[in-house]
Amino acid sequence: MNSGKRILTGVRPTGPLHLGHYAGAIESWLTLQHEHECFFLIADWQVSDHAGDLPRVRSAVWEVALDWLAAGLDAEKSSFVIESVVPEHAELAMWMAWYCSIGMLDRNPTLKAEMASIERPDDAATSGRSIPVAFYIYPMMQVADILLPRAELVPVGDNQLPHVELARETARRFNREVGPVFPEPQALVGRVPRLVGTDGQAKMGKSRGNTINLKDSADEVARKVRTMFAGPPRGAREPGIVADNPVFAYLDAFDAQPAEVMDLKERYQRSGVGNQELKDRLTGVLDSLLEPMRERRAGFERNMPWVRDVVEAGSKRERVLAAQTMALVRDALGLGYLRRS
Ligand code: TRP
């Protein structure tokens, strides 16, 4: 196949992917897919916070596959995998849970923040008692996702770093105490580790309602940019502050002409540039990024049987590796109870 490293990364199927996913992760995957053996995982075991809305999860699985294809991931060169289609993920997660302490989960800042955000109002008194057990242990699933194909690199947004660290620690402990099975996976963070929301909140996120989605129409993008937060109000000729303006954050992330953005920033700080000029520029920039994706997506949408087939083929490729890894794991754990000797 290719001589590079083995990569695994993934996303939770909860809805359409947005610019934050693109700049933080997918964009770097587009390059990595040419140099490495890549597994792109649709993690439908990690969405127990959406247990009440299974139809949405099931359709989001295909949304993710379409968004990835539209963005330019090549599902024939790399493997798209649905987590639950490879049940060894769950088996390995259960064994890995032996080698990860409750303390390690409790200290995981990403898990902590997410648990706080899905806590229901009446949970406060019972310290989150209605959060599913599966949600609390989803980092174990992620450890298994990474270790099952024995991945060496994990390209992710920076909020996923604690989970990769958990995979490293768990792998190290298993290798030391049970047997040398796993490489220690390394995280790779994308070019824009965190993208602000259209409302100026620190992070773009579906639950915050401040996203621009990869599949948004040109009209939707124009509307979202028009109503986007662009720093505190200021008079027509008053100097602006670049750092407080998410429109500039997006231009920095997506404008292919950094010299022109520099010039714009300079004029903005001197005053004389209204937010309209910035926003018009951004709308154009996003359109040239997203229009080719919309076109490719429409093509794939017309060919769903093919999409289904490539996901099946990718999942099967992972299953071959999964069987090999599980044989090593069972052997190291001494699980050959019924083996005839
Ligand atoms: N938890 C990741 C997210 O919320 C998605 C994910 C699932 C993942 N399994 C993974 C990321 C394995 C990297 C590696 O985006």
mmCIF file of all heavy atoms in Angstrom, residues 15-55:
data_model
loop_
_atom_site.group_PDB
_atom_site.id
_atom_site.type_symbol
_atom_site.label_atom_id
_atom_site.label_comp_id
_atom_site.label_asym_id
_atom_site.label_seq_id
_atom_site.Cartn_x
_atom_site.Cartn_y
_atom_site.Cartn_z
ATOM 1 N N GLY A 15 -24.089 15.237 13.694
ATOM 2 C CA GLY A 15 -24.687 16.218 12.787
ATOM 3 C C GLY A 15 -23.664 16.651 11.766
ATOM 4 O O GLY A 15 -22.597 16.036 11.655
ATOM 5 N N PRO A 16 -23.987 17.695 11.006
ATOM 6 C CA PRO A 16 -23.061 18.114 9.950
ATOM 7 C C PRO A 16 -21.734 18.636 10.510
ATOM 8 O O PRO A 16 -21.699 19.229 11.590
ATOM 9 C CB PRO A 16 -23.829 19.235 9.239
ATOM 10 C CG PRO A 16 -24.940 19.635 10.130
ATOM 11 C CD PRO A 16 -25.199 18.513 11.078
ATOM 12 N N LEU A 17 -20.664 18.402 9.787
ATOM 13 C CA LEU A 17 -19.354 18.916 10.201
ATOM 14 C C LEU A 17 -19.239 20.388 9.809
ATOM 15 O O LEU A 17 -19.892 20.856 8.879
ATOM 16 C CB LEU A 17 -18.243 18.097 9.558
ATOM 17 C CG LEU A 17 -18.285 16.592 9.883
ATOM 18 C CD1 LEU A 17 -17.119 15.860 9.220
ATOM 19 C CD2 LEU A 17 -18.269 16.354 11.390
ATOM 20 N N HIS A 18 -18.411 21.123 10.557
ATOM 21 C CA HIS A 18 -18.328 22.567 10.341
ATOM 22 C C HIS A 18 -16.888 23.029 10.123
ATOM 23 O O HIS A 18 -15.955 22.201 10.117
ATOM 24 C CB HIS A 18 -18.995 23.316 11.507
ATOM 25 C CG HIS A 18 -18.485 22.898 12.872
ATOM 26 N ND1 HIS A 18 -17.210 23.171 13.297
ATOM 27 C CD2 HIS A 18 -19.086 22.228 13.884
ATOM 28 C CE1 HIS A 18 -17.039 22.708 14.522
ATOM 29 N NE2 HIS A 18 -18.168 22.103 14.901
ATOM 30 N N LEU A 19 -16.736 24.333 9.957
ATOM 31 C CA LEU A 19 -15.408 24.885 9.658
ATOM 32 C C LEU A 19 -14.382 24.576 10.737
ATOM 33 O O LEU A 19 -13.194 24.453 10.454
ATOM 34 C CB LEU A 19 -15.506 26.415 9.489
ATOM 35 C CG LEU A 19 -16.196 26.916 8.219
ATOM 36 C CD1 LEU A 19 -16.287 28.456 8.254
ATOM 37 C CD2 LEU A 19 -15.435 26.474 6.960
ATOM 38 N N GLY A 20 -14.836 24.452 11.989
ATOM 39 C CA GLY A 20 -13.919 24.112 13.081
ATOM 40 C C GLY A 20 -13.317 22.731 12.867
ATOM 41 O O GLY A 20 -12.104 22.541 13.030
ATOM 42 N N HIS A 21 -14.160 21.756 12.465
ATOM 43 C CA HIS A 21 -13.645 20.417 12.154
ATOM 44 C C HIS A 21 -12.643 20.496 10.998
ATOM 45 O O HIS A 21 -11.618 19.822 10.996
ATOM 46 C CB HIS A 21 -14.781 19.486 11.702
ATOM 47 C CG HIS A 21 -15.769 19.133 12.770
ATOM 48 N ND1 HIS A 21 -17.084 19.534 12.726
ATOM 49 C CD2 HIS A 21 -15.637 18.408 13.902
ATOM 50 C CE1 HIS A 21 -17.723 19.061 13.789
ATOM 51 N NE2 HIS A 21 -16.873 18.381 14.521
ATOM 52 N N TYR A 22 -12.983 21.319 10.006
ATOM 53 C CA TYR A 22 -12.143 21.387 8.817
ATOM 54 C C TYR A 22 -10.763 21.949 9.151
ATOM 55 O O TYR A 22 -9.738 21.336 8.870
ATOM 56 C CB TYR A 22 -12.819 22.228 7.725
ATOM 57 C CG TYR A 22 -12.021 22.226 6.450
ATOM 58 C CD1 TYR A 22 -12.091 21.145 5.579
ATOM 59 C CD2 TYR A 22 -11.160 23.280 6.139
ATOM 60 C CE1 TYR A 22 -11.329 21.103 4.427
ATOM 61 C CE2 TYR A 22 -10.387 23.253 4.990
ATOM 62 C CZ TYR A 22 -10.480 22.164 4.135
ATOM 63 O OH TYR A 22 -9.707 22.126 3.002
ATOM 64 N N ALA A 23 -10.746 23.132 9.790
ATOM 65 C CA ALA A 23 -9.465 23.803 10.035
ATOM 66 C C ALA A 23 -8.646 23.074 11.102
ATOM 67 O O ALA A 23 -7.417 23.069 11.050
ATOM 68 C CB ALA A 23 -9.707 25.251 10.459
ATOM 69 N N GLY A 24 -9.340 22.456 12.060
ATOM 70 C CA GLY A 24 -8.634 21.823 13.171
ATOM 71 C C GLY A 24 -8.135 20.429 12.834
ATOM 72 O O GLY A 24 -7.199 19.942 13.461
ATOM 73 N N ALA A 25 -8.769 19.773 11.871
ATOM 74 C CA ALA A 25 -8.415 18.381 11.651
ATOM 75 C C ALA A 25 -8.464 17.977 10.175
ATOM 76 O O ALA A 25 -7.443 17.614 9.587
ATOM 77 C CB ALA A 25 -9.343 17.486 12.486
ATOM 78 N N ILE A 26 -9.648 18.057 9.567
ATOM 79 C CA ILE A 26 -9.832 17.447 8.246
ATOM 80 C C ILE A 26 -8.812 17.959 7.228
ATOM 81 O O ILE A 26 -8.271 17.195 6.433
ATOM 82 C CB ILE A 26 -11.270 17.702 7.728
ATOM 83 C CG1 ILE A 26 -12.273 17.007 8.653
ATOM 84 C CG2 ILE A 26 -11.442 17.202 6.303
ATOM 85 C CD1 ILE A 26 -13.725 17.377 8.392
ATOM 86 N N GLU A 27 -8.539 19.260 7.273
ATOM 87 C CA GLU A 27 -7.599 19.823 6.314
ATOM 88 C C GLU A 27 -6.240 19.108 6.380
ATOM 89 O O GLU A 27 -5.637 18.810 5.350
ATOM 90 C CB GLU A 27 -7.431 21.321 6.605
ATOM 91 C CG GLU A 27 -6.536 22.032 5.644
ATOM 92 C CD GLU A 27 -6.023 23.325 6.235
ATOM 93 O OE1 GLU A 27 -5.397 23.283 7.327
ATOM 94 O OE2 GLU A 27 -6.267 24.378 5.639
ATOM 95 N N SER A 28 -5.778 18.806 7.587
ATOM 96 C CA SER A 28 -4.483 18.120 7.683
ATOM 97 C C SER A 28 -4.612 16.658 7.243
ATOM 98 O O SER A 28 -3.674 16.081 6.700
ATOM 99 C CB SER A 28 -3.903 18.230 9.092
ATOM 100 O OG SER A 28 -4.538 17.329 9.959
ATOM 101 N N TRP A 29 -5.788 16.070 7.436
ATOM 102 C CA TRP A 29 -5.981 14.679 6.969
ATOM 103 C C TRP A 29 -5.846 14.597 5.450
ATOM 104 O O TRP A 29 -5.414 13.579 4.919
ATOM 105 C CB TRP A 29 -7.353 14.137 7.368
ATOM 106 C CG TRP A 29 -7.695 14.231 8.824
ATOM 107 C CD1 TRP A 29 -6.876 14.613 9.856
ATOM 108 C CD2 TRP A 29 -8.970 13.929 9.417
ATOM 109 N NE1 TRP A 29 -7.564 14.569 11.039
ATOM 110 C CE2 TRP A 29 -8.853 14.152 10.801
ATOM 111 C CE3 TRP A 29 -10.196 13.490 8.909
ATOM 112 C CZ2 TRP A 29 -9.915 13.957 11.670
ATOM 113 C CZ3 TRP A 29 -11.251 13.297 9.783
ATOM 114 C CH2 TRP A 29 -11.111 13.522 11.157
ATOM 115 N N LEU A 30 -6.265 15.688 4.761
ATOM 116 C CA LEU A 30 -6.216 15.682 3.296
ATOM 117 C C LEU A 30 -4.784 15.475 2.805
ATOM 118 O O LEU A 30 -4.551 14.816 1.799
ATOM 119 C CB LEU A 30 -6.769 16.996 2.736
ATOM 120 C CG LEU A 30 -8.271 17.226 2.934
ATOM 121 C CD1 LEU A 30 -8.673 18.610 2.441
ATOM 122 C CD2 LEU A 30 -9.085 16.147 2.238
ATOM 123 N N THR A 31 -3.826 16.045 3.522
ATOM 124 C CA THR A 31 -2.422 15.842 3.165
ATOM 125 C C THR A 31 -1.944 14.479 3.642
ATOM 126 O O THR A 31 -1.290 13.745 2.896
ATOM 127 C CB THR A 31 -1.543 16.928 3.839
ATOM 128 O OG1 THR A 31 -2.225 18.175 3.738
ATOM 129 C CG2 THR A 31 -0.184 17.010 3.205
ATOM 130 N N LEU A 32 -2.280 14.157 4.884
ATOM 131 C CA LEU A 32 -1.770 12.912 5.474
ATOM 132 C C LEU A 32 -2.210 11.671 4.694
ATOM 133 O O LEU A 32 -1.494 10.683 4.630
ATOM 134 C CB LEU A 32 -2.244 12.797 6.938
ATOM 135 C CG LEU A 32 -1.632 13.826 7.900
ATOM 136 C CD1 LEU A 32 -2.417 13.873 9.211
ATOM 137 C CD2 LEU A 32 -0.167 13.500 8.178
ATOM 138 N N GLN A 33 -3.413 11.749 4.086
ATOM 139 C CA GLN A 33 -3.936 10.548 3.410
ATOM 140 C C GLN A 33 -3.049 10.092 2.254
ATOM 141 O O GLN A 33 -3.097 8.939 1.854
ATOM 142 C CB GLN A 33 -5.362 10.778 2.920
ATOM 143 C CG GLN A 33 -5.467 11.793 1.792
ATOM 144 C CD GLN A 33 -6.888 11.954 1.248
ATOM 145 O OE1 GLN A 33 -7.755 11.123 1.485
ATOM 146 N NE2 GLN A 33 -7.128 13.035 0.534
ATOM 147 N N HIS A 34 -2.236 11.033 1.708
ATOM 148 C CA HIS A 34 -1.369 10.641 0.593
ATOM 149 C C HIS A 34 -0.089 9.961 1.067
ATOM 150 O O HIS A 34 0.579 9.292 0.309
ATOM 151 C CB HIS A 34 -1.004 11.864 -0.246
ATOM 152 C CG HIS A 34 -2.216 12.522 -0.854
ATOM 153 N ND1 HIS A 34 -3.031 11.874 -1.737
ATOM 154 C CD2 HIS A 34 -2.767 13.746 -0.652
ATOM 155 C CE1 HIS A 34 -4.031 12.673 -2.081
ATOM 156 N NE2 HIS A 34 -3.895 13.811 -1.430
ATOM 157 N N GLU A 35 0.257 10.199 2.335
ATOM 158 C CA GLU A 35 1.556 9.711 2.816
ATOM 159 C C GLU A 35 1.444 8.524 3.751
ATOM 160 O O GLU A 35 2.432 7.878 4.060
ATOM 161 C CB GLU A 35 2.276 10.847 3.567
ATOM 162 C CG GLU A 35 2.575 12.058 2.701
ATOM 163 C CD GLU A 35 2.573 13.350 3.508
ATOM 164 O OE1 GLU A 35 2.709 13.278 4.750
ATOM 165 O OE2 GLU A 35 2.412 14.421 2.892
ATOM 166 N N HIS A 36 0.249 8.279 4.256
ATOM 167 C CA HIS A 36 0.120 7.277 5.313
ATOM 168 C C HIS A 36 -1.077 6.362 5.070
ATOM 169 O O HIS A 36 -1.936 6.652 4.248
ATOM 170 C CB HIS A 36 -0.055 7.982 6.670
ATOM 171 C CG HIS A 36 1.060 8.909 7.010
ATOM 172 N ND1 HIS A 36 2.254 8.477 7.526
ATOM 173 C CD2 HIS A 36 1.170 10.258 6.887
ATOM 174 C CE1 HIS A 36 3.055 9.521 7.722
ATOM 175 N NE2 HIS A 36 2.427 10.616 7.330
ATOM 176 N N GLU A 37 -1.105 5.297 5.860
ATOM 177 C CA GLU A 37 -2.242 4.376 5.803
ATOM 178 C C GLU A 37 -3.275 4.879 6.814
ATOM 179 O O GLU A 37 -3.056 4.795 8.022
ATOM 180 C CB GLU A 37 -1.750 2.971 6.173
ATOM 181 C CG GLU A 37 -2.821 1.919 6.137
ATOM 182 C CD GLU A 37 -2.376 0.615 6.801
ATOM 183 O OE1 GLU A 37 -1.219 0.548 7.294
ATOM 184 O OE2 GLU A 37 -3.184 -0.319 6.844
ATOM 185 N N CYS A 38 -4.372 5.423 6.318
ATOM 186 C CA CYS A 38 -5.296 6.133 7.221
ATOM 187 C C CYS A 38 -6.602 5.388 7.464
ATOM 188 O O CYS A 38 -7.201 4.839 6.538
ATOM 189 C CB CYS A 38 -5.653 7.504 6.637
ATOM 190 S SG CYS A 38 -4.263 8.624 6.549
ATOM 191 N N PHE A 39 -7.025 5.426 8.711
ATOM 192 C CA PHE A 39 -8.348 4.943 9.090
ATOM 193 C C PHE A 39 -9.136 6.119 9.651
ATOM 194 O O PHE A 39 -8.696 6.763 10.604
ATOM 195 C CB PHE A 39 -8.237 3.827 10.134
ATOM 196 C CG PHE A 39 -7.673 2.569 9.560
ATOM 197 C CD1 PHE A 39 -6.298 2.388 9.489
ATOM 198 C CD2 PHE A 39 -8.502 1.589 9.036
ATOM 199 C CE1 PHE A 39 -5.763 1.239 8.920
ATOM 200 C CE2 PHE A 39 -7.978 0.428 8.464
ATOM 201 C CZ PHE A 39 -6.602 0.257 8.410
ATOM 202 N N PHE A 40 -10.276 6.402 9.035
ATOM 203 C CA PHE A 40 -11.135 7.501 9.491
ATOM 204 C C PHE A 40 -12.394 6.881 10.077
ATOM 205 O O PHE A 40 -13.164 6.212 9.381
ATOM 206 C CB PHE A 40 -11.462 8.428 8.321
ATOM 207 C CG PHE A 40 -10.242 9.083 7.726
ATOM 208 C CD1 PHE A 40 -9.833 8.803 6.428
ATOM 209 C CD2 PHE A 40 -9.480 9.971 8.481
ATOM 210 C CE1 PHE A 40 -8.703 9.400 5.887
ATOM 211 C CE2 PHE A 40 -8.343 10.574 7.947
ATOM 212 C CZ PHE A 40 -7.960 10.280 6.653
ATOM 213 N N LEU A 41 -12.566 7.117 11.376
ATOM 214 C CA LEU A 41 -13.576 6.385 12.125
ATOM 215 C C LEU A 41 -14.800 7.238 12.431
ATOM 216 O O LEU A 41 -14.684 8.369 12.924
ATOM 217 C CB LEU A 41 -12.943 5.935 13.445
ATOM 218 C CG LEU A 41 -13.807 5.057 14.336
ATOM 219 C CD1 LEU A 41 -13.797 3.629 13.804
ATOM 220 C CD2 LEU A 41 -13.287 5.094 15.758
ATOM 221 N N ILE A 42 -15.967 6.681 12.144
ATOM 222 C CA ILE A 42 -17.224 7.333 12.524
ATOM 223 C C ILE A 42 -17.666 6.670 13.825
ATOM 224 O O ILE A 42 -18.085 5.508 13.841
ATOM 225 C CB ILE A 42 -18.275 7.170 11.404
ATOM 226 C CG1 ILE A 42 -17.711 7.711 10.077
ATOM 227 C CG2 ILE A 42 -19.567 7.898 11.787
ATOM 228 C CD1 ILE A 42 -18.579 7.434 8.855
ATOM 229 N N ALA A 43 -17.522 7.412 14.939
ATOM 230 C CA ALA A 43 -17.560 6.797 16.273
ATOM 231 C C ALA A 43 -18.984 6.764 16.830
ATOM 232 O O ALA A 43 -19.346 7.522 17.736
ATOM 233 C CB ALA A 43 -16.604 7.544 17.213
ATOM 234 N N ASP A 44 -19.773 5.812 16.314
ATOM 235 C CA ASP A 44 -21.188 5.767 16.726
ATOM 236 C C ASP A 44 -21.396 5.064 18.062
ATOM 237 O O ASP A 44 -22.529 4.884 18.494
ATOM 238 C CB ASP A 44 -22.037 5.103 15.631
ATOM 239 C CG ASP A 44 -21.715 3.639 15.441
ATOM 240 O OD1 ASP A 44 -20.570 3.238 15.754
ATOM 241 O OD2 ASP A 44 -22.591 2.878 14.989
ATOM 242 N N TRP A 45 -20.279 4.657 18.705
ATOM 243 C CA TRP A 45 -20.378 4.118 20.059
ATOM 244 C C TRP A 45 -20.138 5.227 21.094
ATOM 245 O O TRP A 45 -20.270 5.004 22.282
ATOM 246 C CB TRP A 45 -19.339 3.006 20.261
ATOM 247 C CG TRP A 45 -19.937 1.694 20.615
ATOM 248 C CD1 TRP A 45 -20.951 1.479 21.519
ATOM 249 C CD2 TRP A 45 -19.570 0.405 20.101
ATOM 250 N NE1 TRP A 45 -21.227 0.141 21.586
ATOM 251 C CE2 TRP A 45 -20.396 -0.540 20.720
ATOM 252 C CE3 TRP A 45 -18.623 -0.037 19.181
ATOM 253 C CZ2 TRP A 45 -20.309 -1.908 20.468
ATOM 254 C CZ3 TRP A 45 -18.538 -1.391 18.925
ATOM 255 C CH2 TRP A 45 -19.364 -2.309 19.560
ATOM 256 N N GLN A 46 -19.741 6.371 20.596
ATOM 257 C CA GLN A 46 -19.362 7.460 21.512
ATOM 258 C C GLN A 46 -20.442 8.520 21.638
ATOM 259 O O GLN A 46 -20.155 9.648 21.997
ATOM 260 C CB GLN A 46 -18.088 8.144 21.004
ATOM 261 C CG GLN A 46 -16.847 7.319 21.210
ATOM 262 C CD GLN A 46 -15.601 8.179 21.132
ATOM 263 O OE1 GLN A 46 -15.659 9.398 21.177
ATOM 264 N NE2 GLN A 46 -14.462 7.539 21.029
ATOM 265 N N VAL A 47 -21.680 8.173 21.326
ATOM 266 C CA VAL A 47 -22.717 9.208 21.302
ATOM 267 C C VAL A 47 -23.879 8.862 22.236
ATOM 268 O O VAL A 47 -25.031 9.143 21.947
ATOM 269 C CB VAL A 47 -23.233 9.469 19.861
ATOM 270 C CG1 VAL A 47 -22.184 10.209 19.066
ATOM 271 C CG2 VAL A 47 -23.583 8.167 19.153
ATOM 272 N N SER A 48 -23.529 8.280 23.395
ATOM 273 C CA SER A 48 -24.589 7.899 24.340
ATOM 274 C C SER A 48 -25.320 9.126 24.883
ATOM 275 O O SER A 48 -26.415 9.011 25.420
ATOM 276 C CB SER A 48 -24.007 7.075 25.488
ATOM 277 O OG SER A 48 -22.935 7.770 26.081
ATOM 278 N N ASP A 49 -24.716 10.311 24.713
ATOM 279 C CA ASP A 49 -25.438 11.540 25.101
ATOM 280 C C ASP A 49 -26.578 11.826 24.119
ATOM 281 O O ASP A 49 -27.400 12.697 24.368
ATOM 282 C CB ASP A 49 -24.484 12.748 25.204
ATOM 283 C CG ASP A 49 -23.569 12.903 23.990
ATOM 284 O OD1 ASP A 49 -23.264 11.895 23.319
ATOM 285 O OD2 ASP A 49 -23.165 14.036 23.709
ATOM 286 N N HIS A 50 -26.643 11.071 23.004
ATOM 287 C CA HIS A 50 -27.741 11.232 22.051
ATOM 288 C C HIS A 50 -28.620 9.974 22.003
ATOM 289 O O HIS A 50 -29.260 9.699 20.987
ATOM 290 C CB HIS A 50 -27.195 11.545 20.656
ATOM 291 C CG HIS A 50 -26.501 12.881 20.593
ATOM 292 N ND1 HIS A 50 -27.162 14.058 20.334
ATOM 293 C CD2 HIS A 50 -25.210 13.218 20.821
ATOM 294 C CE1 HIS A 50 -26.296 15.053 20.383
ATOM 295 N NE2 HIS A 50 -25.110 14.576 20.669
ATOM 296 N N ALA A 51 -28.613 9.225 23.106
ATOM 297 C CA ALA A 51 -29.370 7.963 23.140
ATOM 298 C C ALA A 51 -30.855 8.185 22.858
ATOM 299 O O ALA A 51 -31.537 7.309 22.346
ATOM 300 C CB ALA A 51 -29.187 7.277 24.496
ATOM 301 N N GLY A 52 -31.352 9.366 23.187
ATOM 302 C CA GLY A 52 -32.768 9.647 22.983
ATOM 303 C C GLY A 52 -33.109 10.001 21.546
ATOM 304 O O GLY A 52 -34.266 10.255 21.221
ATOM 305 N N ASP A 53 -32.114 10.051 20.684
ATOM 306 C CA ASP A 53 -32.386 10.448 19.307
ATOM 307 C C ASP A 53 -31.587 9.580 18.333
ATOM 308 O O ASP A 53 -30.761 10.062 17.561
ATOM 309 C CB ASP A 53 -32.034 11.932 19.122
ATOM 310 C CG ASP A 53 -32.673 12.507 17.866
ATOM 311 O OD1 ASP A 53 -33.329 11.747 17.122
ATOM 312 O OD2 ASP A 53 -32.499 13.720 17.624
ATOM 313 N N LEU A 54 -31.869 8.274 18.380
ATOM 314 C CA LEU A 54 -31.112 7.345 17.521
ATOM 315 C C LEU A 54 -31.260 7.638 16.027
ATOM 316 O O LEU A 54 -30.264 7.544 15.297
ATOM 317 C CB LEU A 54 -31.515 5.895 17.824
ATOM 318 C CG LEU A 54 -31.000 5.356 19.163
ATOM 319 C CD1 LEU A 54 -31.399 3.888 19.326
ATOM 320 C CD2 LEU A 54 -29.483 5.499 19.278
ATOM 321 N N PRO A 55 -32.454 8.012 15.541
ATOM 322 C CA PRO A 55 -32.538 8.291 14.096
ATOM 323 C C PRO A 55 -31.535 9.363 13.672
ATOM 324 O O PRO A 55 -30.924 9.281 12.601
ATOM 325 C CB PRO A 55 -33.978 8.774 13.903
ATOM 326 C CG PRO A 55 -34.733 8.169 15.043
ATOM 327 C CD PRO A 55 -33.766 8.112 16.195
#
